[in-house]
Amino acid sequence: MMLEDTYLRAIKAIIANYGHAVQYVGGDPETGARPFAYTIGLHRSGGRDYELAVSGLGPAASAGVLDLLAEALSENDTPPSAGLQVRNLLELGLDLRLRLVSHPEELGVIRLVYGAAPTVWQALWPDLANRFPGDPAYDLADELQELL
């Protein structure tokens, strides 16, 4: 039995038990690529047709943000859209802002489980003044949060 088969069975079991799984992809110090994470299985539950992603956070923070965001969108029956700001979701009352992921097909485990990738929305996190990448006066380094 191949390790990939075992891993995919574990992912499918998590999806069956919780409605979705979170795949974390560590960064690469040699290339400067930032870590990122994405959900697998949301698009098959609760009438959703999308997955969620986040970049630049550690494993626990990524899973926490994605789970909070999925729950908030579901509870409020809010479909994701470009620029949608989900208010007061993070500590200190900070928001998340959504943007469409440019190449969802590159999120490999979704493809391995389902054969194709649905629409994926990236959650951007703000600086402490609640400004996002691309906003005037955003004061975090652009490379902290890679746009997927």
Side-chain angles (χ1 to χ4, degrees), residues 81-97:
S81 60
L84 175 69
Q85 209 150 307
V86 182
R87 307 252 178 230
N88 301 310
L89 197 61
L90 304 175
E91 289 183 24
L92 305 174
L94 297 174
D95 304 341
L96 289 175
R97 182 181 292 166

Side-chain angles (χ1 to χ4, degrees), residues 1-98:
M1 179 182 314
M2 294 178 48
L3 181 60
E4 181 178 291
D5 293 337
T6 302
Y7 184 74
L8 291 178
R9 273 203 313 278
I11 290 290
K12 290 175 183 178
I14 291 168
I15 294 167
N17 286 330
Y18 300 102
H20 71 277
V22 174
Q23 175 67 47
Y24 184 78
V25 180
D28 184 350
E30 288 186 25
T31 65
R34 301 297 301 157
F36 64 96
Y38 54 93
T39 61
I40 306 163
L42 278 181
H43 78 285
R44 295 289 179 105
S45 67
R48 295 177 255 209
D49 60 354
Y50 58 85
E51 298 291 344
L52 300 170
V54 68
S55 173
L57 302 174
S62 294
V65 165
L66 293 173
D67 288 344
L68 280 172
L69 180 57
E71 185 177 319
L73 292 172
S74 179
E75 283 180 359
N76 297 319
D77 198 26
T78 303
S81 60
L84 175 69
Q85 209 150 307
V86 182
R87 307 252 178 230
N88 301 310
L89 197 61
L90 304 175
E91 289 183 24
L92 305 174
L94 297 174
D95 304 341
L96 289 175
R97 182 181 292 166
L98 299 181

